[in-house]
């Protein structure tokens, strides 16, 4: 996540990079999002990269040490400040990957004591929510592997078509019987809940 002082210039620099040969050869989906709600965190935006495999991740990371990416950094460093860098492993992915239905992401960052039990309970919860028609976009569960391990161990997200749908779907989630059952069966500490509005996406989808 990043703190950006000149959003228009940052977005243009990223667009120039991702529409160039560098971006077309980059082996992952790159999403630029704005935090509509982010609590006390200083970050205003996030650049989220999703890879299909470990080899894609390794190849993508190697591209960060090229002259093309260095040129991008030289343009955005005066107008942006890094807040968090982390690597997270995909555990569960599902739902509808239609880009229009994933314009807003609600993300729950949490500390989980029993990851295996949590993943099983979370799967039951999302299955019930999908059956009730309460997740319009994609959903996923990720394990935090690199970064500040004192903050969160996992995060879960759901995609929605717009802010209104995201709020409505969250309200329905919290009021559902499946969520009540889920909350009774798992031990977790939610550290932060964010809402991110997608501004631009490149090489979509690599869910």
């Amino acid at each position: 996540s990043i703190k950006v002082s000149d959003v228009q210039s940052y977005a243009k620099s990223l667009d120039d990079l991702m529409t160039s040969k560098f971006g077309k050869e980059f082996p992952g989906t790159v999403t630029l999002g704005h935090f509509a709600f982010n609590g006390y965190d200083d970050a205003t935006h996030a650049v989220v990269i999703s890879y299909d495999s470990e080899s894609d991740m390794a190849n993508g990371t190697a591209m960060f040490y090229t002259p093309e990416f260095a040129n991008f950094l030289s343009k955005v460093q005066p107008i942006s400040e890094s807040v968090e860098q982390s690597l997270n492993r995909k555990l569960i992915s599902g739902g509808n990957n239609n880009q229009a239905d994933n314009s807003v992401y609600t993300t729950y960052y949490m500390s989980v004591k029993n990851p295996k039990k949590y993943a099983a309970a979370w799967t039951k919860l999302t299955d019930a929510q999908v059956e009730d028609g309460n997740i319009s976009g994609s959903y996923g569960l990720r394990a935090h592997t690199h970064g500040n391990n004192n903050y969160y161990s996992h995060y879960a997200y759901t995609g929605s078509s717009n802010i209104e749908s995201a709020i409505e779907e969250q309200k329905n989630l919290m009021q559902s019987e499946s969520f009540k059952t889920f909350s009774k069966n798992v031990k977790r500490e939610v550290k932060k809940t964010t809402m991110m509005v997608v501004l631009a996406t490149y090489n979509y989808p690599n869910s």
Side-chain angles (χ1 to χ4, degrees):
S1 57
I2 48 178
K3 183 178 180 180
V4 179
S5 59
D6 186 339
V7 179
Q8 186 173 1
S9 295
Y10 188 98
K12 184 181 185 306
S13 294
L14 181 63
D15 187 71
D16 288 344
L17 176 71
M18 293 308 300
T19 55
S20 70
K21 181 181 178 183
F22 174 99
K24 293 175 182 177
E25 294 178 350
F26 190 77
T29 298
V30 177
T31 299
L32 172 64
H34 170 255
F35 287 117
F37 302 100
N38 196 27
Y40 293 105
D41 199 311
D42 288 338
T44 59
H45 294 75
V47 176
V48 181
I49 304 174
S50 178
Y51 299 104
D52 279 341
S53 66
E54 285 80 2
S55 62
D56 283 348
M57 186 276 292
N59 291 333
T61 302
M63 292 180 71
F64 297 152
Y65 299 92
T66 60
E68 293 83 1
F69 193 76
N71 182 53
F72 164 73
L73 287 181
S74 70
K75 293 178 180 178
V76 300
Q77 280 181 340
I79 58 172
S80 63
E81 178 184 345
S82 178
V83 176
E84 181 203 5
Q85 296 180 10
S86 62
L87 178 64
N88 302 279
R89 179 177 291 112
K90 292 182 181 182
L91 299 179
I92 301 169
S93 295
N96 169 22
N97 282 316
N98 187 328
Q99 191 168 359
D101 295 321
N102 290 280
S103 299
V104 177
Y105 289 97
T106 302
T107 305
Y108 306 87
Y109 297 86
M110 69 205 84
S111 177
V112 174
K113 299 298 183 184
N114 189 328
K116 186 176 180 180
K117 183 178 179 180
Y118 183 89
W122 189 81
T123 298
K124 291 181 180 179
L125 174 64
T126 53
D127 286 348
Q129 293 298 307
V130 169
E131 186 175 346
D132 290 341
N134 195 42
I135 301 179
S136 56
S138 62
Y139 58 84
L141 178 65
R142 306 290 186 257
H144 183 64
T145 61
H146 294 72
N148 185 354
N149 293 321
N150 294 321
Y151 181 40
Y152 66 94
S153 64
H154 294 73
Y155 76 82
Y157 72 87
T158 57
S160 304
S161 56
N162 53 54
I163 293 175
E164 183 179 1
S165 294
I167 294 172
E168 184 71 16
E169 289 168 0
Q170 186 189 47
K171 182 186 73 174
N172 292 340
L173 166 68
M174 298 299 181
Q175 294 176 349
S176 67
E177 290 299 320
S178 57
F179 183 75
K180 292 177 184 177
T181 301
F182 168 78
S183 298
K184 290 178 182 178
N185 292 336
V186 299
K187 291 183 178 180
R188 77 198 191 286
E189 181 183 355
V190 178
K191 302 289 188 177
K192 181 176 68 170
T193 304
T194 67
M195 180 182 290
M196 187 184 80
V197 179
V198 174
L199 301 180
T201 305
Y202 306 91
N203 304 336
Y204 186 92
N206 281 354
S207 60

